[in-house]
Structure formats: structure tokens, C-alpha cells
Amino acid sequence: MAVSLQTKYPLRPITNNIPSTHRSSLLHVRVTCSATTTTNKPQAKLVVENRFMSPPLSNDPSLQSTWTHRLWVAAGCTTLFASLAKSIIGGVGSHLWLEPALAGYAGYILADLGSGVYHWAIDNYGDESTPIVGTQIEAFQGHHKWPWTITRRQFANNLHALARVITFTVLPLDLAFNDPVVHGFVSTFAFCIMFSQQFHAWAHGTKSKLPPLVVALQDMGVLVSRREHAEHHRAPYNNNYCIVSGAWNKVLDESKVFEALEMVLYFKLGVRPRSWSEPNSEWTEEKDISNNHKV
């Protein structure tokens, strides 16, 4: 026979002697004490959970680019340009125009689909302790609570993680292949994936503050629009995952592809997606009232 006792003590943040510019990084500490008594020996466990209390300020270091970020973005762009150059030069040399162009269009279409599948996966499964992508999962959960902070991230800060992946993926392809059709696909697909976070940031921008060309591309459906992506940030947070052009959103949502995948994963592995749970205060969006920033 076992008797279990569990008590939670939410502690107030300690702000004494901490400059106001650094208080955005304060953590809310929740201490969970549990004790279990058995016929053999009592056991006790202390769990301390740290959670961010408030969004980062505009001058927060976590939103600023470092030279490492810039170098990774430069490396990613270099591999992209090399792939594009091989596609153009190879096409001119072999008098191929249609095939590389069609391959590039296919890369653009599939990049939107890929962005949606990946976005769905990290929105619904795993946490900050997940290998390789744990940091991105944590960042996307914070993004749901404070979506407007993405517009304050500096360019390289926003793109460096994807730029690193693109560098290690595209560089071997640049060295291994010279086919203009292959590079027509690779260069366009990789470009859209690497810059998808910038397209995402523009989808959160205020129309009057965006470059006119970006607004025009959004209105034409070339880039994901602000109105379409805004639906993703409304309950139940289970639609409009694609962030390149958004062309796949209607198809995926109406056919309930992601809902079917969630059911398969649940019945096979017993894992529930986050979208099935009632959104709590840590996932519900907070408005940027202080700066009147529109989402």
C-alpha cells in the first residue's frame, strides 16, 4: 500500500537588484514536492521547473545576430548560389530551359509542403529535451505565446539554424552533381526552406512596415499572406502550417491529412499531439500592448 502526497509552490520572481533591461529573461520557478510512503522505505522527489515569465525585449541578445549567425547565413547563401549557377550554366550549355525551370517550380511547391509538415511536427510533438530539434521546438512554443517577437529578430538570427542545415545538405550536392535539372530543383527548394523563416516573419509584419514588393508577393499568393497565417495563431492551432507560399494549407486542412497522421501516431505509439489539449496560458497568445505592435 502506498500513500502519495504532492504539493506545488509557485514562487514569485526575484527582481531585487536586477536591471529592468534584463528582467525579460526572468524565470518563473515552480517547485513540485512529492513523497511516497511504502511498506519498505519512504521516497521523496523534488522537481524544479523553469518557465519564462515574459517575452524578450527588443534589445534582448536572444533576438540579435552574432557573427556566427552571419557566417552561417553567408555559407548557406554561397551553397545556394553555387547550385543555381550550375543550373543556369548547365542549362545554357546543354540548351535546356524548360526542364530546369519545371524542376525549380517543383522545388518551390514541395518546399511549401515540407515547411508545413515540419511545422506541424515540432508544434505538436517533442519538447526542449528532444535531440537535435529541441531548441526549435521550444522556440516555436514561445512563438505561439509571443508571435510578434519574430518581427524583432535580426535577419541572421532568424535564419542561421536553417542556413546551417542547408550548408551541410547542399554543399555535397554541389560537389557531386552537375545536372542542371537537379540543381534547378535543389537551388529553389533549398532557397525556399532557408528563407522560410523570413517569409514567416513577414507574415507577422504590419502591412505599412513591409516592403511593397513583399506585400505584392503576399497578395499574389507567392509568399504566405498575413491573413492566412493569422489563422494558424487562433484556437485550436491545428491548421495553416505551411509558411512558404501557403499553397498547400487548404489542401492539407480540408483533407485532414495532419489529423489522420495524429490518429495513426496516437493509436500506434500512444502519443497525443499538443493541438488535442485545451490551450493553456503558456500557449495562448499575449498581445504586445506596450508598443501597439500588430500581429
Side-chain angles (χ1 to χ4, degrees):
M1 177 178 181
V3 179
S4 179
L5 174 64
Q6 188 177 74
T7 309
K8 298 180 180 179
Y9 300 93
L11 303 182
R12 294 182 178 179
I14 301 173
T15 58
N16 295 337
N17 301 321
I18 300 178
S20 59
T21 55
H22 291 81
R23 291 184 184 178
S24 62
S25 300
L26 288 176
L27 295 175
H28 182 279
V29 181
R30 185 175 72 178
V31 180
T32 302
C33 302
S34 61
T36 303
T37 303
T38 64
T39 55
N40 296 325
K41 185 183 294 185
Q43 298 179 346
K45 181 173 66 173
L46 178 65
V47 178
V48 179
E49 296 182 20
N50 296 332
R51 300 181 184 274
F52 284 104
M53 289 180 54
S54 57
L57 300 175
S58 58
N59 61 346
D60 192 291
S62 67
L63 302 179
Q64 298 175 0
S65 298
T66 66
W67 280 109
T68 301
H69 296 162
R70 296 184 182 99
L71 288 172
W72 277 118
V73 171
C77 288
T78 301
T79 60
L80 289 178
F81 289 139
S83 179
L84 179 61
K86 283 197 168 189
S87 178
I88 295 174
I89 295 172
V92 171
S94 57
H95 303 288
L96 291 176
W97 294 100
L98 182 60
E99 291 86 345
L102 290 176
Y105 181 71
Y108 165 71
I109 295 298
L110 291 178
D112 187 56
L113 176 61
S115 73
V117 173
Y118 184 72
H119 190 176
W120 162 77
I122 63 176
D123 261 11
N124 286 284
Y125 300 99
D127 54 30
E128 62 273 13
S129 64
T130 301
I132 301 176
V133 296
T135 302
Q136 290 189 339
I137 292 174
E138 184 180 21
F140 266 72
Q141 295 312 302
H143 171 68
H144 273 273
K145 190 171 181 62
W146 307 301
W148 38 267
T149 57
I150 194 173
T151 64
R152 298 180 180 177
R153 287 190 180 276
Q154 294 183 351
F155 179 75
N157 179 290
N158 199 23
L159 300 188
H160 75 95
L162 288 172
R164 188 179 309 179
V165 174
I166 293 301
T167 300
F168 287 119
T169 304
V170 177
L171 180 59
L173 298 177
D174 287 342
L175 299 175
F177 298 100
N178 292 315
D179 190 322
V181 177
V182 170
H183 284 290
F185 176 86
V186 169
S187 60
T188 308
F189 180 87
F191 173 86
C192 291
I193 292 297
M194 178 172 158
F195 284 88
S196 62
Q197 273 297 83
Q198 185 59 50
F199 306 154
H200 186 188
W202 284 333
H204 283 281
T206 304
K207 184 175 182 179
S208 60
K209 296 180 180 180
L210 292 175
L213 178 59
V214 170
V215 175
L217 292 174
Q218 289 177 336
D219 292 342
M220 289 188 295
V222 177
L223 298 180
V224 63
S225 68
R226 302 175 306 285
R227 178 177 298 180
E228 182 176 6
H229 186 64
E231 294 298 321
H232 176 70
H233 287 271
R234 297 190 179 103
Y237 310 100
N238 64 354
N239 54 55
N240 290 278
Y241 287 105
C242 301
I243 57 174
V244 174
S245 66
W248 282 92
N249 281 328
K250 186 176 181 180
V251 175
L252 294 171
D253 294 341
E254 290 184 352
S255 60
K256 300 187 183 300
V257 169
F258 292 130
E259 292 184 24
L261 290 174
E262 290 166 0
M263 293 296 291
V264 170
L265 291 175
Y266 177 69
F267 285 115
K268 292 291 185 180
L269 304 177
V271 180
R272 292 172 59 90
R274 272 184 284 271
S275 61
W276 286 11
S277 304
E278 184 68 23
N280 57 34
S281 61
E282 293 174 358
W283 216 50
T284 306
E285 177 185 340
E286 288 185 0
K287 300 293 183 182
D288 184 10
I289 299 175
S290 60
N291 293 293
N292 297 319
H293 188 92
K294 297 180 180 179
V295 178

